[in-house]
Amino acid sequence: GNGAAPPTWQQVSTVILNAHKTTGHGVEVKCPISHKTIKQVGILYVDDTNLWEGLRDDDDLISTSARGQVSISDWAGTLGETGGALKPDKCGVTIHDQTPDGKGGWNYTDQQAVATEDEEVDMSELDELQFHVPTADGGTAPIERLPSNKADNNLGLYARPDGKPDQHFEQMREKMTTWTAQIKSGQIPTRSVWMSYSNQLWSGLRYGLGACSASLPELRKGLMSADFYMLSNLGVNRSITKEWRYLPATFGGIGLYDLTVETAAATLASFLQHYGTSHALGITLRAAMEHLQVELGVPDCPFNYDFSVWGHLSTDSWAKALWEKIDELGIVLDLQYDTKPLPRRNDRAIMDCMVELGLRGTELQRVNRVRKAQEAMFLSDVATPNGRYLEKYLLDGHWKDSPEGSLGKHRSTLDFGTEHPTEADWKLWKKSLKRLTDSKSLFLNEPLGDWINPSTRIWRHFLNTDTRTVEIRADDTIYEYAHDVESSDRVSIMQPVRRLDEPATSVVPASILEYDNGSIKLLAQGPPLVSQRDEVVPSSFLERLRGKGGEWMWDSISFSSDPSWIVDAIQRGSLFCCTDGSYMKQWAPDICGAAWVFYCAESRQWLKGDFTEHSKWANSYRGEQLGMLAIHIILLTIEEHYGVPLSNANIFCDNQGTIRTFSKKYDRVPGSSKNNDILRVLRKIQGVSALAHKLSHVKAHQDEISGYDGLALEARLNVDCDSRAKAAIKRAVENFSSHPVTLSLPLEVAVVVIDGIKQTADLAKDLRYHVGKVKARQFYADEQLLHPDIFDSVAWEPLRLLLDRRPKMFNLWYAKQCSGYCGTGQMISRYDKCASDKCPNCGCFETADHLNRCKSRIRKGLLLDSVNDLQEWMEGHCTHPCIQKWLPSYIALQGSTLFVDLVHSQGWTMSQQMRRVGNSLDRIGWRNVLEGKVSNALLQMQQEHLVQTRSLLSIDSWTRGFLDKLLSLTHTQWICRNLTKHHRTKGTKALASREEILKEIEHQLCLGSDGLSHDARCLLEIPAEELYGKPTSELQYWLNAAVASRQAAGDESGGLLEPTSDQVKTGTNHPPGRKSPPQEASKAVTPARKPKAIAPIFLTTKARRPAARPPTNLPPALRPQQQERTGLLKRNSEEELQRIQVGSLLRNVPNNFQLCLEGGDKVHREAMRSLRPPQWLNDEVINVYIRRVLLPKVNRNHIFFFNSFFMSTLLNTGETGRDTPSYNYEGVQRWDSRLRRKHKILGMREIFVPINHARVHWLLLRANTETKVITLWDSEGRKQGNQLYLTTMLRYLGDKYSEMHGVPSDDWKAEWTLEDASDSSPEQTNGHDCGLFVLANATLLAQQIPLSRSSYTEGDFQLWDTRSRVAMLLWLASTNRPVPAAGRPLPARRRPQQNHGNGGNTGRKSGSKPLPAKKAPATAKHSKCKERAKRRRNNKRIIPGGPKTRGKILVSDPTPLQQTQSILNKKRKAASVAIGDATVVATTQRHAPPKRKKRKHTQYD
């Protein structure tokens, strides 16, 4: 509870632990191959104590439990002597006991009852076990026994004894849910939420991941949907695809942390921290890896093997989980791992043989189970001593059931676990091993040779070559057998002679046959065994130095004489060591150099060297540390070689940070620290040497201030090291192609390489990027965003470095823009049905792709300004002249032209190198380029230019600035778009809101004072002109007051026109769908004309932007999404129907009707009649639509359409289409003769063929000569008979190829793929719309618009009246455009005009043409009663303030504001404006009777 408690407990617990260990408690962890051991009592952390017992060869459940109880009692007693005590309610016991499951595997004993259903399991022995702890009063108290499948909070982790991570993941999900709820309840900006997500939430979640042993499938399901619910808090739309969530921002992803990647990074960091060390965790880790190696049966590091083949052979463990991660995530883990050498020549590991035989899965697992039971790793372990045969008894049964089993507990020097193979396992074992022999005599196909290394088998039978006697060696004694001299039997029968105290030396392994009478027979003998070889001692200092690894550091070493003088110099105090590092970023950004020197001030002898390292992490500081590390390694080597401890050497360096680093003592090296590989090597050196040397600082570059001769010795040495380090870098640059990428340092036991880069700092960043890149490559291919080859051509690394320097919110915007899940009209209209999906600038359908393609004047001008800014930047940053000439033009054209098709305004010709670069940019796509995804070819071209011009600007700096300009261009467009839409006063949303409010205010004014209280009638006293000029907020306040007053008076709607929208906020609960009731205007207030609406800050235009044509050399899947340009998939517009009523025309087509089109095409009456449902479309409609409607809208240079008679002619199916198909190439041989190009039809990129199948069904076929794929679409689904058309089209193309090239086309046709893509076509359910499906599919595919089931539906044809639409498009494309009587447009309806009496024309301008007189209805009868007519006239008269009016003023009537709005912004004369719009009559006048005109008196009266 205070600051002194932890260190006090550390001191006390250390004494208790040592006492506990002395009494024999704890476990012994033993490596099964190297046999290194370590005794561990338990783990203590603050007040958490874990004590261990067990892991002995003869342990069973009862004996282990008994020792565990004794351990508890002894610990409690020792703890009590220090004044402490145990709390029973906080104590518990877990028993790790496993039993066979009867199928060759193992289960925890307390879980056996659950795992086994067929038979009952005896759990009484386990249930009876109880444990107690001593209490402070001298008694005992029982403690809980925890099951193996339950996790308890242990050191902050929830780790189950059986290793399952379920409860730990559940705790992580609870933390995420709690964090999400807290963030949602607080008003925190998105930027702060992301900061909390990274530094608060995941900092806690990462705790314990380094100890997690979960498999990858478990990790992928670990967090479930917890990430989904926090997306909205992070400013991300929840509907975003799951793949986009976890991709790094470099690839357009949101950048959420992936539990799999984070666990892999934490696990690798833990591994690097402890591997190769001599402390408890280091040896335990080594034991885990060796056990994994023995389980697999492989001779070297198990991490080097394919996990998908070998992984299931091993027990679930932390080491296995690490192996799975590095294998599946593509991580290279280079270890200094002691391999087990092959014992004999031609020897092999048994499991390697089994894998080569083709065993996989369960079969491989069963064989491996028997191998472990037989304690064998190599073939020599199961072969006879002479290496020619397999031991028969080892194939037939367990070795313990043979005579060999009675001689000892084990038959191998390796430690194997206990196995219980099934009978089926033994059969498969014998069958598989026989495949390595001739099966009958068990003679090996490749016999084994002499022994070259110690055998892993414990040989029991030996032949003494001197005495020709046989020795049988058991664990505790040695028996000698000799030949009976008196026996006349010629067979080599031997009898037991005596027991030996010591084994003989001149022996060879032998195989014998034992008889029941105790005699034996010698069967075979082998070559002599090889004993363990002594370690080779290096003969020279340089050999010992190179033996520590990292030979690249000693390639340039030189010395005046044998380094033994260094020992004497240190003892005299005359040794001076100096080092310096160098880094030349502009010349070699990935290379750093170092130089070092040993110099004796008295004898003037020297030892010096220099080297360079090629690394992504190269910098000056790393060069300084590498030089200092070299000095320490040399001093360590001198200590070892000459056997003299060294201290007090004078070491100088001009970098104080390096001096501080090498002056510290390192027990742990943080995984996130920079140059942690150097620190781990330094920690290893500190573990074997005191390194008590004096590190001092020397000022750098002193020769620039004073002369070299006047400098101190250490300063001169520093100058010399600096010059040699720079020279080393220059040599490396000259030989850069042959310069190796450095991997390991001397004494470095573990190296992590990710994507070819050695990790020397926090590896989590590079691991996230690497895994994200692999996933992005596959995701981009699956989503048809970028082909894998094109993806690889993009320079991703510079983009990553740029985004790493940008704020998180910029990365978030970039991710939304790339993924398309940004605030565009397309996305907003998905969840807000009232929102517009149009661009606020140009009015086109707005997607993320539209951002830089907008054709509005403001946006396009802004784009050109950004292009000019980019051009100025390139001119000032040594950019390649060709890039300066062509790239700005490519950007300014907004993707309408391919880079390779650019034509310069000054007539310049594009170079071949620039054309290759342009082709790479075209493949990537214009939009992707503006999002920073440039090609490596572009950067390579620029780098060559920088080298040729000897510019001091590095390619990294240039690329960073260039990409920054591209992203700024795109970001500027987004800001302009948002400013246009969301400006507080002049944005389109604000203006729309103001229009809604003004509309409601106008209606309130029209309602008058009825329904308003006396206190609220002052609202109507504000002049309309003044009211309209107020800010929006004050208008909203006025409206709220008026609505509230009317609601208080009983009008539930408050007098509103319509349900309150999001833009008009009244604070009232207006019933949905209810309109305001009519009001009686006793005192109607006629408002003044509303002033002209405030213009938006950016002017918009209604002109539709022409669709940009996609790059023509990209495959369809990679081309940008375009809008359909023919207008087929929509309804006929009102303007078009005013020209011709196609519906009436189709219902009654005249006999002589005919459409004439260009090129002599005609559509006759029967063809038009086929457009009436439910008839089939005939060939004339299909062919004319394709030639005259569709083809003008597509690129004819790349797309070709055969007519509908092509396939029937090629197959020679006759006029009915039902004749037996017979291939007829001659019939269509010249159908492509009108193509004026070199390769005729094969020169077209896409060839479309509409197919009229048997004159009853329409199909569509396409041949793509770029991708060499022939695809067929059938709206009724896949059919086996459609394969005929695919194969026939391939045969036709092959014949064309042979005709043009004069060679057989078999090899060429073999490259083609036939695909029936009918499943991706919209589905047809009726029997007559197949022609419409062909037209729609051809229209979309020809315009590079992807086709899917959801592109349209059969119901859309009825909704859009597509048949009438086809007729309209044909009529519009015709040259005569006939309008028969059946198709004439209907006359427009006129508004009934008021009778102004006496046939007057007062409502019209004087001199205008009078309106035709209306005929009175035949049924109209005028009253003959004058009184009745008088009363009728009186009732029609409006009396101001009277009880009723002639008509009701409805909501649908145009208000004065609406009347004047129609004439705003129109060029009209003053008189016309004064008179008003003749088509709109004021509401107050429309319902009033006409004013009686006074009769003019003339002179004739």
Side-chain angles (χ1 to χ4, degrees), residues 138-284:
T140 60
I143 58 176
E144 180 183 6
R145 183 170 61 82
L146 303 175
S148 60
N149 58 357
K150 179 182 178 182
D152 194 14
N153 190 351
N154 184 17
L155 307 181
L157 302 178
Y158 287 83
R160 287 170 43 169
D162 59 4
K164 299 298 182 181
D166 301 347
Q167 288 171 270
H168 185 68
F169 288 163
E170 182 179 356
Q171 180 221 18
M172 294 178 67
R173 292 194 295 268
E174 291 177 358
K175 287 183 178 179
M176 297 183 73
T177 303
T178 303
W179 180 86
T180 303
Q182 292 175 347
I183 291 296
K184 185 175 293 185
S185 62
Q187 300 295 329
I188 305 177
T190 306
R191 177 182 58 189
S192 300
V193 174
W194 274 102
M195 184 180 299
S196 175
Y197 173 79
S198 302
N199 302 327
Q200 185 179 23
L201 174 63
W202 268 96
S203 293
L205 294 179
R206 287 191 187 95
Y207 176 75
L209 290 183
C212 181
S213 59
S215 63
L216 286 182
E218 291 172 335
L219 289 172
R220 294 189 180 105
K221 299 178 181 179
L223 299 182
M224 296 185 179
S225 59
D227 279 342
F228 172 78
Y229 295 103
M230 66 172 63
L231 286 175
S232 57
N233 298 328
L234 296 171
V236 182
N237 193 335
R238 286 184 179 178
S239 62
I240 190 171
T241 309
K242 187 176 182 179
E243 289 78 6
W244 286 119
R245 302 177 196 169
Y246 300 102
L247 290 182
T250 308
F251 309 104
I254 302 302
L256 294 182
Y257 293 124
D258 187 355
L259 181 60
T260 302
V261 178
E262 299 305 312
T263 305
T267 307
L268 278 171
S270 299
F271 181 86
L272 294 176
Q273 183 70 249
H274 303 292
Y275 181 75
T277 60
S278 58
H279 53 66
L281 283 177
I283 296 179
T284 304

Side-chain angles (χ1 to χ4, degrees), residues 1206-1213 1220-1229 1284-1297 1299 1305 1309:
F1206 171 81
M1207 188 58 69
S1208 59
T1209 306
L1210 181 60
L1211 289 175
N1212 201 15
T1213 55
T1220 302
S1222 60
Y1223 186 71
N1224 179 25
Y1225 175 70
E1226 292 76 15
V1228 297
Q1229 185 175 5
L1284 171 65
Y1285 300 118
L1286 293 170
T1287 56
T1288 302
M1289 189 63 187
L1290 179 60
R1291 184 177 177 183
Y1292 166 77
L1293 294 176
D1295 290 345
K1296 275 293 176 183
Y1297 182 85
E1299 178 183 347
S1305 61
K1309 290 192 296 183

